Amino acid sequence: MGAQPDRAARLDLVLDRDGPTCIWCGREFSALVHPTTEHVVPRVKGGPSWLANEVAACRRCNAERGHRTPVDWLEECLRRGWPADEPRLVRTLTALAAAIATAGGQRRARPYLDGQLRRLGRRAGGAAGQRTG
């Protein structure tokens, strides 16, 4: 992966890619609901600071998630009755797996990412857990 855009530019790119809502609670971003970029695979788990590893989340969800896994937080959001965007999470994790396969490296992130994709695949009963590459 080459040089990444700065934080503000990455936020704009993520919003353009994913739309103006929080992936976790579904709230639309506004003057009262501020968007942030959030690493889907946390940095502490080896997640890269790549655009492919970032989604738009409101400050509340970003702070409350902490270091929970994406699937754990997805399930907590759904338990709370929030319209978490599971298809967006699947797309993001799948795209990140493809980016890692292309760029190489990321030894710490790979098993974490594979585990999350498997869990999502079991939740959906579908192909999300099948990693290519």
Side-chain angles (χ1 to χ4, degrees):
M1 290 260 137
Q4 293 289 302
D6 67 22
R7 185 178 297 230
R10 286 195 323 266
L11 178 59
D12 287 341
L13 290 167
V14 167
L15 291 171
D16 286 345
R17 180 189 69 201
D18 296 339
T21 58
C22 175
I23 188 172
W24 307 118
C25 70
R27 294 187 300 168
E28 192 161 334
F29 300 124
S30 67
L32 298 175
V33 180
H34 298 278
T36 63
T37 57
E38 177 175 58
H39 291 93
V40 180
V41 175
R43 300 279 315 193
V44 299
K45 297 295 184 181
S49 283
W50 297 349
L51 192 59
N53 189 33
E54 293 180 318
V55 292
C58 69
R59 287 182 182 171
R60 177 190 68 187
C61 288
N62 197 337
E64 279 193 46
R65 177 183 164 206
H67 297 303
R68 288 186 243 196
T69 70
V71 177
D72 286 344
W73 185 239
L74 172 79
E75 290 172 346
E76 173 62 18
C77 292
L78 294 172
R79 186 191 67 73
R80 294 179 183 190
W82 297 349
D85 192 342
E86 188 168 350
R88 188 188 328 174
L89 180 60
V90 170
R91 280 193 312 273
T92 301
L93 290 174
T94 302
L96 177 58
I100 289 173
T102 300
Q106 308 306 317
R107 287 180 320 169
R108 286 183 54 220
R110 284 177 188 226
Y112 182 94
L113 179 58
D114 289 343
Q116 293 302 292
L117 285 167
R118 276 193 304 276
R119 284 184 64 193
L120 283 168
R122 285 193 301 268
R123 281 183 51 77
Q130 315 255 328
R131 182 169 156 210
T132 57

